[in-house]
Amino acid sequence: MESPTRSNEKLRLSNLLVSALPWTIIAGLLYAGLFIKPKAVGGSVTPPALERRDRVYGIAHGEGGALLAAASNGKILVIDTGRKVTRQATPVDLSLQDIAAFDATHAVAVGNDNVILYTEDGGKHWAKAADVPRSQVANKLNRVRTGANGVAVAIGEMGALLRSQDYGKTWQRLREEEDVAWNDVAILDGGVYVVVGEFGKIVRSGDGGKTWEKEQAPVEGSLMATAFRDASYGVAVGLDGVVLTSSDGGRHWASVDVPAHDHLLDVLWNADKNEWFAVGVLGRWVSGTQGADGLQWRTGVLGEHIMSWHTRVLAAGSAYWLAGADVGAWNGRQWMPLDPH
């Protein structure tokens, strides 16, 4: 039989171990936190280049048949001929509203807060233009167009009308700041610029931006885009399905009765198809082709249940590429959007 003394010693030892147990656990956790480095298990998740939340506001031709797209959150995307999408690194996270290419290696993108990016190597590297003219009221560039010999014109809020003559590196004002938002500009031969904006406003310069004339539009609603087939004939489109035509280089404009009243946001001239083509909200498109009785206009939608809006259209081969709430190709019969992951 065990003696009372030995039994008491065992009890004291047991109590001592129990009381020390929490401190032992704490010491072990502290040691693990300080000296044991966890090893990663599995790989990190890389977000896809094109996400469902992205808005793609501008699209242009890139190198080797690829397309360049300007999107929200500072994204510039490359869409290759196999419809694979990759992202190019940019130095900003501001939404980019438009992109335009000079040639296979030079391009420029513009966006919120008057940010302007340019590339000299097909988009492998993008740099931010310094000392871009700004307003103290509002700064957002809506569109950029490129011309010959490194000339580009960017337009936007508070009368922003800026020009670069060195492929987008440096920029100067062409007009003083004013309370109007310009939405598009056409660069014609001979230093002619035609600019359209809100409230039906149109200005035109015939001397490279030195002097300007205000032209009278037959509508009061905002004009969103313009394009010219040559130095004389042009088309402008706008809100409520407005379509205007000019045959004298943008000096005078006439309304066209198109059987659609959805907002139109962009227009182009497709020389290969001998066709004007415009896009807008709710999947709306409008086209104009030359017929025996003059220019014939027709309209339709991308699909019965397609409600997307599109701010840009680009002719690419036998199809049109559209960018906006989504991005994809329209071949005249079928809408083929890119599948964001």
Side-chain angles (χ1 to χ4, degrees), residues 196-233:
V196 301
E198 61 181 351
F199 311 125
K201 292 187 176 181
I202 302 174
V203 293
R204 182 184 185 276
S205 175
D207 54 12
K210 296 177 183 177
T211 60
W212 294 87
E213 298 175 353
K214 293 183 180 181
E215 310 300 348
Q216 186 65 43
V219 296
E220 295 181 356
S222 292
L223 299 172
M224 304 305 296
T226 187
F228 278 74
R229 182 179 67 193
D230 49 39
S232 299
Y233 200 93

PDB file of all heavy atoms in Angstrom, residues 196-233:
ATOM      1  N   VAL A 196     -17.244  67.678 -82.676  1.00  0.00           N
ATOM      2  CA  VAL A 196     -18.659  67.645 -82.295  1.00  0.00           C
ATOM      3  C   VAL A 196     -18.764  67.403 -80.798  1.00  0.00           C
ATOM      4  O   VAL A 196     -17.894  66.776 -80.186  1.00  0.00           O
ATOM      5  CB  VAL A 196     -19.435  66.560 -83.067  1.00  0.00           C
ATOM      6  CG1 VAL A 196     -19.353  66.801 -84.561  1.00  0.00           C
ATOM      7  CG2 VAL A 196     -18.924  65.160 -82.729  1.00  0.00           C
ATOM      8  N   GLY A 197     -19.878  67.905 -80.202  1.00  0.00           N
ATOM      9  CA  GLY A 197     -20.024  67.769 -78.760  1.00  0.00           C
ATOM     10  C   GLY A 197     -21.457  67.876 -78.300  1.00  0.00           C
ATOM     11  O   GLY A 197     -22.408  67.708 -79.078  1.00  0.00           O
ATOM     12  N   GLU A 198     -21.602  68.172 -77.025  1.00  0.00           N
ATOM     13  CA  GLU A 198     -22.934  68.222 -76.433  1.00  0.00           C
ATOM     14  C   GLU A 198     -23.722  69.425 -76.945  1.00  0.00           C
ATOM     15  O   GLU A 198     -23.163  70.377 -77.479  1.00  0.00           O
ATOM     16  CB  GLU A 198     -22.815  68.270 -74.906  1.00  0.00           C
ATOM     17  CG  GLU A 198     -22.074  69.472 -74.356  1.00  0.00           C
ATOM     18  CD  GLU A 198     -21.968  69.431 -72.842  1.00  0.00           C
ATOM     19  OE1 GLU A 198     -22.603  68.568 -72.222  1.00  0.00           O
ATOM     20  OE2 GLU A 198     -21.246  70.280 -72.286  1.00  0.00           O
ATOM     21  N   PHE A 199     -25.066  69.329 -76.807  1.00  0.00           N
ATOM     22  CA  PHE A 199     -25.996  70.386 -77.215  1.00  0.00           C
ATOM     23  C   PHE A 199     -25.895  70.716 -78.706  1.00  0.00           C
ATOM     24  O   PHE A 199     -26.156  71.836 -79.129  1.00  0.00           O
ATOM     25  CB  PHE A 199     -25.783  71.662 -76.393  1.00  0.00           C
ATOM     26  CG  PHE A 199     -25.725  71.421 -74.918  1.00  0.00           C
ATOM     27  CD1 PHE A 199     -24.643  71.848 -74.163  1.00  0.00           C
ATOM     28  CD2 PHE A 199     -26.744  70.732 -74.273  1.00  0.00           C
ATOM     29  CE1 PHE A 199     -24.592  71.623 -72.801  1.00  0.00           C
ATOM     30  CE2 PHE A 199     -26.701  70.511 -72.904  1.00  0.00           C
ATOM     31  CZ  PHE A 199     -25.619  70.951 -72.164  1.00  0.00           C
ATOM     32  N   GLY A 200     -25.507  69.735 -79.518  1.00  0.00           N
ATOM     33  CA  GLY A 200     -25.421  69.941 -80.958  1.00  0.00           C
ATOM     34  C   GLY A 200     -24.312  70.869 -81.408  1.00  0.00           C
ATOM     35  O   GLY A 200     -24.325  71.373 -82.541  1.00  0.00           O
ATOM     36  N   LYS A 201     -23.333  71.097 -80.561  1.00  0.00           N
ATOM     37  CA  LYS A 201     -22.267  72.044 -80.900  1.00  0.00           C
ATOM     38  C   LYS A 201     -21.241  71.423 -81.853  1.00  0.00           C
ATOM     39  O   LYS A 201     -20.825  70.274 -81.683  1.00  0.00           O
ATOM     40  CB  LYS A 201     -21.578  72.539 -79.632  1.00  0.00           C
ATOM     41  CG  LYS A 201     -22.478  73.412 -78.767  1.00  0.00           C
ATOM     42  CD  LYS A 201     -21.727  74.034 -77.612  1.00  0.00           C
ATOM     43  CE  LYS A 201     -22.628  74.978 -76.826  1.00  0.00           C
ATOM     44  NZ  LYS A 201     -21.926  75.633 -75.699  1.00  0.00           N
ATOM     45  N   ILE A 202     -20.839  72.202 -82.854  1.00  0.00           N
ATOM     46  CA  ILE A 202     -19.832  71.800 -83.835  1.00  0.00           C
ATOM     47  C   ILE A 202     -18.899  72.983 -84.060  1.00  0.00           C
ATOM     48  O   ILE A 202     -19.357  74.111 -84.262  1.00  0.00           O
ATOM     49  CB  ILE A 202     -20.467  71.399 -85.183  1.00  0.00           C
ATOM     50  CG1 ILE A 202     -21.464  70.252 -84.997  1.00  0.00           C
ATOM     51  CG2 ILE A 202     -19.392  71.010 -86.189  1.00  0.00           C
ATOM     52  CD1 ILE A 202     -22.226  69.898 -86.270  1.00  0.00           C
ATOM     53  N   VAL A 203     -17.589  72.736 -84.016  1.00  0.00           N
ATOM     54  CA  VAL A 203     -16.609  73.750 -84.403  1.00  0.00           C
ATOM     55  C   VAL A 203     -15.697  73.148 -85.467  1.00  0.00           C
ATOM     56  O   VAL A 203     -15.471  71.935 -85.505  1.00  0.00           O
ATOM     57  CB  VAL A 203     -15.791  74.269 -83.202  1.00  0.00           C
ATOM     58  CG1 VAL A 203     -16.669  75.042 -82.241  1.00  0.00           C
ATOM     59  CG2 VAL A 203     -15.074  73.127 -82.490  1.00  0.00           C
ATOM     60  N   ARG A 204     -15.186  74.023 -86.312  1.00  0.00           N
ATOM     61  CA  ARG A 204     -14.351  73.570 -87.433  1.00  0.00           C
ATOM     62  C   ARG A 204     -13.173  74.510 -87.609  1.00  0.00           C
ATOM     63  O   ARG A 204     -13.308  75.733 -87.509  1.00  0.00           O
ATOM     64  CB  ARG A 204     -15.180  73.533 -88.720  1.00  0.00           C
ATOM     65  CG  ARG A 204     -14.439  73.039 -89.950  1.00  0.00           C
ATOM     66  CD  ARG A 204     -15.331  73.150 -91.183  1.00  0.00           C
ATOM     67  NE  ARG A 204     -14.701  72.568 -92.358  1.00  0.00           N
ATOM     68  CZ  ARG A 204     -13.823  73.200 -93.143  1.00  0.00           C
ATOM     69  NH1 ARG A 204     -13.467  74.469 -92.862  1.00  0.00           N
ATOM     70  NH2 ARG A 204     -13.304  72.600 -94.197  1.00  0.00           N
ATOM     71  N   SER A 205     -12.011  73.912 -87.855  1.00  0.00           N
ATOM     72  CA  SER A 205     -10.811  74.693 -88.176  1.00  0.00           C
ATOM     73  C   SER A 205     -10.273  74.237 -89.530  1.00  0.00           C
ATOM     74  O   SER A 205     -10.195  73.033 -89.794  1.00  0.00           O
ATOM     75  CB  SER A 205      -9.724  74.502 -87.108  1.00  0.00           C
ATOM     76  OG  SER A 205      -8.533  75.168 -87.496  1.00  0.00           O
ATOM     77  N   GLY A 206      -9.923  75.212 -90.379  1.00  0.00           N
ATOM     78  CA  GLY A 206      -9.344  74.886 -91.679  1.00  0.00           C
ATOM     79  C   GLY A 206      -7.866  75.154 -91.760  1.00  0.00           C
ATOM     80  O   GLY A 206      -7.255  74.999 -92.822  1.00  0.00           O
ATOM     81  N   ASP A 207      -7.257  75.533 -90.605  1.00  0.00           N
ATOM     82  CA  ASP A 207      -5.836  75.900 -90.627  1.00  0.00           C
ATOM     83  C   ASP A 207      -5.062  75.237 -89.482  1.00  0.00           C
ATOM     84  O   ASP A 207      -4.196  75.868 -88.864  1.00  0.00           O
ATOM     85  CB  ASP A 207      -5.676  77.415 -90.578  1.00  0.00           C
ATOM     86  CG  ASP A 207      -6.401  78.054 -89.396  1.00  0.00           C
ATOM     87  OD1 ASP A 207      -6.846  77.296 -88.485  1.00  0.00           O
ATOM     88  OD2 ASP A 207      -6.534  79.286 -89.373  1.00  0.00           O
ATOM     89  N   GLY A 208      -5.402  73.990 -89.196  1.00  0.00           N
ATOM     90  CA  GLY A 208      -4.635  73.260 -88.182  1.00  0.00           C
ATOM     91  C   GLY A 208      -4.872  73.724 -86.770  1.00  0.00           C
ATOM     92  O   GLY A 208      -4.005  73.534 -85.903  1.00  0.00           O
ATOM     93  N   GLY A 209      -6.019  74.340 -86.500  1.00  0.00           N
ATOM     94  CA  GLY A 209      -6.350  74.744 -85.135  1.00  0.00           C
ATOM     95  C   GLY A 209      -5.982  76.157 -84.777  1.00  0.00           C
ATOM     96  O   GLY A 209      -6.164  76.566 -83.619  1.00  0.00           O
ATOM     97  N   LYS A 210      -5.501  76.949 -85.735  1.00  0.00           N
ATOM     98  CA  LYS A 210      -5.155  78.347 -85.423  1.00  0.00           C
ATOM     99  C   LYS A 210      -6.400  79.188 -85.231  1.00  0.00           C
ATOM    100  O   LYS A 210      -6.472  80.023 -84.330  1.00  0.00           O
ATOM    101  CB  LYS A 210      -4.276  78.918 -86.534  1.00  0.00           C
ATOM    102  CG  LYS A 210      -2.918  78.235 -86.667  1.00  0.00           C
ATOM    103  CD  LYS A 210      -2.139  78.825 -87.834  1.00  0.00           C
ATOM    104  CE  LYS A 210      -0.798  78.104 -88.019  1.00  0.00           C
ATOM    105  NZ  LYS A 210      -0.064  78.619 -89.204  1.00  0.00           N
ATOM    106  N   THR A 211      -7.391  78.998 -86.098  1.00  0.00           N
ATOM    107  CA  THR A 211      -8.658  79.715 -85.987  1.00  0.00           C
ATOM    108  C   THR A 211      -9.805  78.713 -86.075  1.00  0.00           C
ATOM    109  O   THR A 211      -9.665  77.625 -86.651  1.00  0.00           O
ATOM    110  CB  THR A 211      -8.805  80.765 -87.102  1.00  0.00           C
ATOM    111  OG1 THR A 211      -8.767  80.109 -88.386  1.00  0.00           O
ATOM    112  CG2 THR A 211      -7.691  81.790 -87.012  1.00  0.00           C
ATOM    113  N   TRP A 212     -10.953  79.116 -85.501  1.00  0.00           N
ATOM    114  CA  TRP A 212     -12.098  78.199 -85.429  1.00  0.00           C
ATOM    115  C   TRP A 212     -13.378  78.918 -85.828  1.00  0.00           C
ATOM    116  O   TRP A 212     -13.541  80.109 -85.553  1.00  0.00           O
ATOM    117  CB  TRP A 212     -12.250  77.647 -84.008  1.00  0.00           C
ATOM    118  CG  TRP A 212     -11.102  76.763 -83.607  1.00  0.00           C
ATOM    119  CD1 TRP A 212      -9.925  77.166 -83.038  1.00  0.00           C
ATOM    120  CD2 TRP A 212     -11.031  75.357 -83.766  1.00  0.00           C
ATOM    121  NE1 TRP A 212      -9.117  76.081 -82.827  1.00  0.00           N
ATOM    122  CE2 TRP A 212      -9.776  74.952 -83.263  1.00  0.00           C
ATOM    123  CE3 TRP A 212     -11.900  74.391 -84.270  1.00  0.00           C
ATOM    124  CZ2 TRP A 212      -9.376  73.627 -83.260  1.00  0.00           C
ATOM    125  CZ3 TRP A 212     -11.505  73.063 -84.272  1.00  0.00           C
ATOM    126  CH2 TRP A 212     -10.254  72.692 -83.764  1.00  0.00           C
ATOM    127  N   GLU A 213     -14.275  78.156 -86.443  1.00  0.00           N
ATOM    128  CA  GLU A 213     -15.601  78.646 -86.796  1.00  0.00           C
ATOM    129  C   GLU A 213     -16.644  77.753 -86.139  1.00  0.00           C
ATOM    130  O   GLU A 213     -16.495  76.528 -86.111  1.00  0.00           O
ATOM    131  CB  GLU A 213     -15.805  78.635 -88.311  1.00  0.00           C
ATOM    132  CG  GLU A 213     -14.841  79.525 -89.071  1.00  0.00           C
ATOM    133  CD  GLU A 213     -15.018  79.380 -90.580  1.00  0.00           C
ATOM    134  OE1 GLU A 213     -15.793  78.481 -90.982  1.00  0.00           O
ATOM    135  OE2 GLU A 213     -14.405  80.163 -91.316  1.00  0.00           O
ATOM    136  N   LYS A 214     -17.703  78.362 -85.618  1.00  0.00           N
ATOM    137  CA  LYS A 214     -18.808  77.609 -85.054  1.00  0.00           C
ATOM    138  C   LYS A 214     -19.808  77.302 -86.159  1.00  0.00           C
ATOM    139  O   LYS A 214     -20.291  78.208 -86.840  1.00  0.00           O
ATOM    140  CB  LYS A 214     -19.480  78.394 -83.930  1.00  0.00           C
ATOM    141  CG  LYS A 214     -18.599  78.592 -82.712  1.00  0.00           C
ATOM    142  CD  LYS A 214     -19.347  79.324 -81.604  1.00  0.00           C
ATOM    143  CE  LYS A 214     -18.460  79.510 -80.381  1.00  0.00           C
ATOM    144  NZ  LYS A 214     -19.180  80.215 -79.280  1.00  0.00           N
ATOM    145  N   GLU A 215     -20.093  76.006 -86.352  1.00  0.00           N
ATOM    146  CA  GLU A 215     -21.028  75.595 -87.385  1.00  0.00           C
ATOM    147  C   GLU A 215     -22.389  75.303 -86.756  1.00  0.00           C
ATOM    148  O   GLU A 215     -22.477  74.881 -85.599  1.00  0.00           O
ATOM    149  CB  GLU A 215     -20.508  74.358 -88.121  1.00  0.00           C
ATOM    150  CG  GLU A 215     -19.070  74.472 -88.607  1.00  0.00           C
ATOM    151  CD  GLU A 215     -18.849  75.618 -89.587  1.00  0.00           C
ATOM    152  OE1 GLU A 215     -19.829  76.192 -90.083  1.00  0.00           O
ATOM    153  OE2 GLU A 215     -17.682  75.957 -89.852  1.00  0.00           O
ATOM    154  N   GLN A 216     -23.450  75.500 -87.524  1.00  0.00           N
ATOM    155  CA  GLN A 216     -24.806  75.331 -87.033  1.00  0.00           C
ATOM    156  C   GLN A 216     -25.309  73.920 -87.320  1.00  0.00           C
ATOM    157  O   GLN A 216     -25.419  73.526 -88.476  1.00  0.00           O
ATOM    158  CB  GLN A 216     -25.735  76.357 -87.678  1.00  0.00           C
ATOM    159  CG  GLN A 216     -27.149  76.343 -87.124  1.00  0.00           C
ATOM    160  CD  GLN A 216     -27.194  76.765 -85.663  1.00  0.00           C
ATOM    161  OE1 GLN A 216     -26.524  77.725 -85.264  1.00  0.00           O
ATOM    162  NE2 GLN A 216     -27.967  76.046 -84.868  1.00  0.00           N
ATOM    163  N   ALA A 217     -25.619  73.170 -86.272  1.00  0.00           N
ATOM    164  CA  ALA A 217     -26.204  71.840 -86.440  1.00  0.00           C
ATOM    165  C   ALA A 217     -27.722  71.951 -86.413  1.00  0.00           C
ATOM    166  O   ALA A 217     -28.272  72.813 -85.717  1.00  0.00           O
ATOM    167  CB  ALA A 217     -25.726  70.912 -85.332  1.00  0.00           C
ATOM    168  N   PRO A 218     -28.428  71.090 -87.148  1.00  0.00           N
ATOM    169  CA  PRO A 218     -29.895  71.152 -87.171  1.00  0.00           C
ATOM    170  C   PRO A 218     -30.552  70.466 -85.984  1.00  0.00           C
ATOM    171  O   PRO A 218     -31.759  70.229 -86.009  1.00  0.00           O
ATOM    172  CB  PRO A 218     -30.235  70.442 -88.481  1.00  0.00           C
ATOM    173  CG  PRO A 218     -29.132  69.470 -88.674  1.00  0.00           C
ATOM    174  CD  PRO A 218     -27.898  70.128 -88.117  1.00  0.00           C
ATOM    175  N   VAL A 219     -29.786  70.126 -84.956  1.00  0.00           N
ATOM    176  CA  VAL A 219     -30.322  69.479 -83.758  1.00  0.00           C
ATOM    177  C   VAL A 219     -29.722  70.147 -82.525  1.00  0.00           C
ATOM    178  O   VAL A 219     -28.674  70.787 -82.595  1.00  0.00           O
ATOM    179  CB  VAL A 219     -30.008  67.963 -83.734  1.00  0.00           C
ATOM    180  CG1 VAL A 219     -30.697  67.250 -84.880  1.00  0.00           C
ATOM    181  CG2 VAL A 219     -28.501  67.719 -83.765  1.00  0.00           C
ATOM    182  N   GLU A 220     -30.402  69.970 -81.391  1.00  0.00           N
ATOM    183  CA  GLU A 220     -29.906  70.510 -80.133  1.00  0.00           C
ATOM    184  C   GLU A 220     -29.377  69.442 -79.196  1.00  0.00           C
ATOM    185  O   GLU A 220     -28.765  69.756 -78.177  1.00  0.00           O
ATOM    186  CB  GLU A 220     -31.025  71.287 -79.427  1.00  0.00           C
ATOM    187  CG  GLU A 220     -31.480  72.521 -80.199  1.00  0.00           C
ATOM    188  CD  GLU A 220     -32.565  73.283 -79.467  1.00  0.00           C
ATOM    189  OE1 GLU A 220     -33.012  72.793 -78.406  1.00  0.00           O
ATOM    190  OE2 GLU A 220     -32.952  74.370 -79.941  1.00  0.00           O
ATOM    191  N   GLY A 221     -29.622  68.180 -79.525  1.00  0.00           N
ATOM    192  CA  GLY A 221     -29.115  67.094 -78.695  1.00  0.00           C
ATOM    193  C   GLY A 221     -27.631  66.865 -78.899  1.00  0.00           C
ATOM    194  O   GLY A 221     -27.037  67.311 -79.887  1.00  0.00           O
ATOM    195  N   SER A 222     -27.021  66.159 -77.972  1.00  0.00           N
ATOM    196  CA  SER A 222     -25.576  65.936 -78.020  1.00  0.00           C
ATOM    197  C   SER A 222     -25.188  65.058 -79.202  1.00  0.00           C
ATOM    198  O   SER A 222     -25.820  64.035 -79.481  1.00  0.00           O
ATOM    199  CB  SER A 222     -25.101  65.290 -76.719  1.00  0.00           C
ATOM    200  OG  SER A 222     -25.231  66.180 -75.641  1.00  0.00           O
ATOM    201  N   LEU A 223     -24.129  65.474 -79.884  1.00  0.00           N
ATOM    202  CA  LEU A 223     -23.524  64.682 -80.950  1.00  0.00           C
ATOM    203  C   LEU A 223     -22.364  63.900 -80.348  1.00  0.00           C
ATOM    204  O   LEU A 223     -21.505  64.462 -79.665  1.00  0.00           O
ATOM    205  CB  LEU A 223     -23.041  65.592 -82.079  1.00  0.00           C
ATOM    206  CG  LEU A 223     -24.147  66.414 -82.755  1.00  0.00           C
ATOM    207  CD1 LEU A 223     -23.547  67.417 -83.728  1.00  0.00           C
ATOM    208  CD2 LEU A 223     -25.143  65.501 -83.461  1.00  0.00           C
ATOM    209  N   MET A 224     -22.334  62.587 -80.578  1.00  0.00           N
ATOM    210  CA  MET A 224     -21.389  61.713 -79.890  1.00  0.00           C
ATOM    211  C   MET A 224     -20.191  61.301 -80.745  1.00  0.00           C
ATOM    212  O   MET A 224     -19.153  60.930 -80.205  1.00  0.00           O
ATOM    213  CB  MET A 224     -22.117  60.460 -79.406  1.00  0.00           C
ATOM    214  CG  MET A 224     -23.319  60.746 -78.506  1.00  0.00           C
ATOM    215  SD  MET A 224     -22.924  61.772 -77.065  1.00  0.00           S
ATOM    216  CE  MET A 224     -21.796  60.688 -76.187  1.00  0.00           C
ATOM    217  N   ALA A 225     -20.327  61.333 -82.079  1.00  0.00           N
ATOM    218  CA  ALA A 225     -19.220  60.865 -82.918  1.00  0.00           C
ATOM    219  C   ALA A 225     -19.372  61.408 -84.332  1.00  0.00           C
ATOM    220  O   ALA A 225     -20.477  61.751 -84.772  1.00  0.00           O
ATOM    221  CB  ALA A 225     -19.185  59.340 -82.954  1.00  0.00           C
ATOM    222  N   THR A 226     -18.260  61.485 -85.043  1.00  0.00           N
ATOM    223  CA  THR A 226     -18.264  61.895 -86.441  1.00  0.00           C
ATOM    224  C   THR A 226     -17.162  61.168 -87.184  1.00  0.00           C
ATOM    225  O   THR A 226     -16.148  60.776 -86.599  1.00  0.00           O
ATOM    226  CB  THR A 226     -18.102  63.415 -86.586  1.00  0.00           C
ATOM    227  OG1 THR A 226     -18.272  63.782 -87.954  1.00  0.00           O
ATOM    228  CG2 THR A 226     -16.738  63.882 -86.100  1.00  0.00           C
ATOM    229  N   ALA A 227     -17.371  60.974 -88.482  1.00  0.00           N
ATOM    230  CA  ALA A 227     -16.367  60.337 -89.337  1.00  0.00           C
ATOM    231  C   ALA A 227     -16.533  60.886 -90.743  1.00  0.00           C
ATOM    232  O   ALA A 227     -17.635  61.292 -91.138  1.00  0.00           O
ATOM    233  CB  ALA A 227     -16.535  58.818 -89.341  1.00  0.00           C
ATOM    234  N   PHE A 228     -15.443  60.903 -91.508  1.00  0.00           N
ATOM    235  CA  PHE A 228     -15.473  61.423 -92.870  1.00  0.00           C
ATOM    236  C   PHE A 228     -14.941  60.369 -93.840  1.00  0.00           C
ATOM    237  O   PHE A 228     -13.968  59.661 -93.551  1.00  0.00           O
ATOM    238  CB  PHE A 228     -14.656  62.709 -92.974  1.00  0.00           C
ATOM    239  CG  PHE A 228     -15.419  63.927 -92.532  1.00  0.00           C
ATOM    240  CD1 PHE A 228     -15.652  64.157 -91.180  1.00  0.00           C
ATOM    241  CD2 PHE A 228     -15.920  64.826 -93.452  1.00  0.00           C
ATOM    242  CE1 PHE A 228     -16.371  65.264 -90.759  1.00  0.00           C
ATOM    243  CE2 PHE A 228     -16.644  65.943 -93.044  1.00  0.00           C
ATOM    244  CZ  PHE A 228     -16.869  66.162 -91.693  1.00  0.00           C
ATOM    245  N   ARG A 229     -15.599  60.299 -94.999  1.00  0.00           N
ATOM    246  CA  ARG A 229     -15.173  59.390 -96.066  1.00  0.00           C
ATOM    247  C   ARG A 229     -14.002  59.987 -96.833  1.00  0.00           C
ATOM    248  O   ARG A 229     -13.109  59.286 -97.303  1.00  0.00           O
ATOM    249  CB  ARG A 229     -16.363  59.157 -97.015  1.00  0.00           C
ATOM    250  CG  ARG A 229     -16.107  58.214 -98.148  1.00  0.00           C
ATOM    251  CD  ARG A 229     -17.367  58.058 -98.988  1.00  0.00           C
ATOM    252  NE  ARG A 229     -17.716  59.304 -99.680  1.00  0.00           N
ATOM    253  CZ  ARG A 229     -18.897  59.524-100.270  1.00  0.00           C
ATOM    254  NH1 ARG A 229     -19.848  58.602-100.220  1.00  0.00           N
ATOM    255  NH2 ARG A 229     -19.125  60.671-100.882  1.00  0.00           N
ATOM    256  N   ASP A 230     -14.008  61.302 -96.973  1.00  0.00           N
ATOM    257  CA  ASP A 230     -12.963  62.043 -97.673  1.00  0.00           C
ATOM    258  C   ASP A 230     -12.974  63.464 -97.131  1.00  0.00           C
ATOM    259  O   ASP A 230     -13.554  63.719 -96.062  1.00  0.00           O
ATOM    260  CB  ASP A 230     -13.191  62.007 -99.190  1.00  0.00           C
ATOM    261  CG  ASP A 230     -14.627  62.371 -99.577  1.00  0.00           C
ATOM    262  OD1 ASP A 230     -15.204  63.286 -98.948  1.00  0.00           O
ATOM    263  OD2 ASP A 230     -15.173  61.744-100.499  1.00  0.00           O
ATOM    264  N   ALA A 231     -12.362  64.384 -97.835  1.00  0.00           N
ATOM    265  CA  ALA A 231     -12.283  65.757 -97.335  1.00  0.00           C
ATOM    266  C   ALA A 231     -13.628  66.475 -97.358  1.00  0.00           C
ATOM    267  O   ALA A 231     -13.778  67.533 -96.742  1.00  0.00           O
ATOM    268  CB  ALA A 231     -11.270  66.552 -98.149  1.00  0.00           C
ATOM    269  N   SER A 232     -14.618  65.899 -98.031  1.00  0.00           N
ATOM    270  CA  SER A 232     -15.910  66.566 -98.171  1.00  0.00           C
ATOM    271  C   SER A 232     -17.033  65.898 -97.402  1.00  0.00           C
ATOM    272  O   SER A 232     -17.756  66.547 -96.643  1.00  0.00           O
ATOM    273  CB  SER A 232     -16.307  66.659 -99.659  1.00  0.00           C
ATOM    274  OG  SER A 232     -15.367  67.411-100.386  1.00  0.00           O
ATOM    275  N   TYR A 233     -17.204  64.587 -97.584  1.00  0.00           N
ATOM    276  CA  TYR A 233     -18.415  63.928 -97.106  1.00  0.00           C
ATOM    277  C   TYR A 233     -18.206  63.300 -95.734  1.00  0.00           C
ATOM    278  O   TYR A 233     -17.307  62.475 -95.550  1.00  0.00           O
ATOM    279  CB  TYR A 233     -18.880  62.856 -98.088  1.00  0.00           C
ATOM    280  CG  TYR A 233     -20.344  62.504 -97.896  1.00  0.00           C
ATOM    281  CD1 TYR A 233     -21.327  63.139 -98.634  1.00  0.00           C
ATOM    282  CD2 TYR A 233     -20.727  61.588 -96.935  1.00  0.00           C
ATOM    283  CE1 TYR A 233     -22.664  62.853 -98.448  1.00  0.00           C
ATOM    284  CE2 TYR A 233     -22.066  61.292 -96.729  1.00  0.00           C
ATOM    285  CZ  TYR A 233     -23.035  61.927 -97.488  1.00  0.00           C
ATOM    286  OH  TYR A 233     -24.355  61.646 -97.284  1.00  0.00           O
TER     287      TYR A 233
END
